[in-house]
Amino acid sequence: MSTESRLRLVWVYPDLLSTYGDRGNLLILEHRAALRGLPVECIEVRSDQPMPADGDIYLLGGGEDGPQSLAAQRLAADGGLHRAVDRGAVVFAVCAGYQLLGHSFYAKGTQCRGLEMLDLHSDRGPTRAVGEIAGEIDPRLGLPPLTGFENHGGRTHLGPGAHPLARVTTGIGNDGQTEGAWNGRILGTYSHGPALARNPDLADLLLRWATGGDLAPIDDTWPDRLRRERLAAVAR
Ligand code: GLN
């Protein structure tokens, strides 16, 4: 955490990367930090503003192809997100935001350069992946199954430096086999929804990475019930 012990949550380019309720991820982190008495500062950085490098958690949402390629160009030119990652900041990225963390991705039929923060690249799939997604999360992360909603045309291929976030049990995710990726404190997923409302344990993982400490438990009866309902519904 930063010097005044405030957790700085940075919502990256809400004017470009904020589809399907991804902003809810910011609200969930803010809420779950507040329930633990952690002072939080939420910083929304539009694409015409410099990216601060002293944030603790950076959130990138989904976006259509045009805004996605513009966001990647601006983040590369700005350099603030790279500086933040170099100092150990946490990054949580969804769909378009996830794809642009890799080496390359496709937008409007053109191959675009990514930010090279995760060892992966994305191309286009034969169909658009739309619908519920579920998967068993990498046991090293110690989390219950992931559930969410996906809507993307891209397919993502992981290199040896990126670990799959989950093994897909419903939906497509990266390629029909795995979903999302993580390495160090950078984590990406195809799960919209917002993902952290549906997967509060994932929100707490990001908070633990950022604070370096244990977190008091929260009564998650309702999100747990939603997870069980969705897993049962998609298993039919
Ligand atoms: N434009 C990207 C794709 O279709 C990302 C879409 C999204 O963020 N939902 O693959």
Side-chain angles (χ1 to χ4, degrees), residues 62-232:
E64 300 312 316
D65 282 13
Q68 178 183 16
S69 61
L70 195 54
Q73 284 165 28
R74 292 196 176 171
L75 285 168
D78 177 277
L81 187 60
H82 280 98
R83 288 194 294 280
V85 164
D86 288 347
R87 30 168 296 278
V90 175
V91 179
F92 177 69
V94 175
C95 204
Y98 164 49
Q99 291 177 1
L100 67 77
L101 295 184
H103 304 299
S104 64
F105 62 93
Y106 270 83
K108 297 196 166 187
T110 304
Q111 191 179 39
C112 306
R113 291 186 65 167
L115 299 182
E116 311 264 357
M117 292 181 178
L118 281 174
D119 182 16
L120 53 86
H121 71 277
S122 301
D123 54 18
R124 288 321 255 203
T127 55
R128 200 162 175 86
V130 185
E132 288 289 310
I133 182 168
E136 297 290 336
I137 294 193
D138 185 336
R140 285 172 291 183
L141 297 176
L143 303 179
L146 180 83
T147 78
F149 176 81
E150 61 180 338
N151 184 353
H152 53 101
R155 297 293 188 275
T156 297
H157 310 281
L158 273 50
H163 317 293
L165 173 63
R167 186 180 56 79
V168 168
T169 51
T170 298
I172 304 288
N174 293 326
D175 56 2
Q177 303 295 315
T178 68
E179 139 59 13
W182 69 283
N183 188 34
R185 295 173 174 192
I186 304 178
L187 192 149
T189 176
Y190 272 112
S191 178
H192 286 285
L196 299 184
R198 290 186 58 168
N199 301 278
D201 307 84
L202 188 52
D204 283 357
L205 175 73
L206 304 177
L207 291 173
R208 282 201 308 275
W209 279 351
T211 60
D214 290 337
L215 299 171
I218 290 175
D219 178 1
D220 280 328
T221 303
W222 285 101
D224 286 344
R225 190 170 153 187
L226 176 63
R227 174 187 288 111
R228 281 199 302 277
E229 280 182 12
R230 295 319 303 159
L231 289 172

Side-chain angles (χ1 to χ4, degrees), residues 11 18-28 61-62 192-197:
W11 181 223
S18 184
T19 52
Y20 310 118
D22 292 331
R23 184 191 162 81
N25 293 326
L26 178 72
L27 303 180
I28 292 290
H192 286 285
L196 299 184

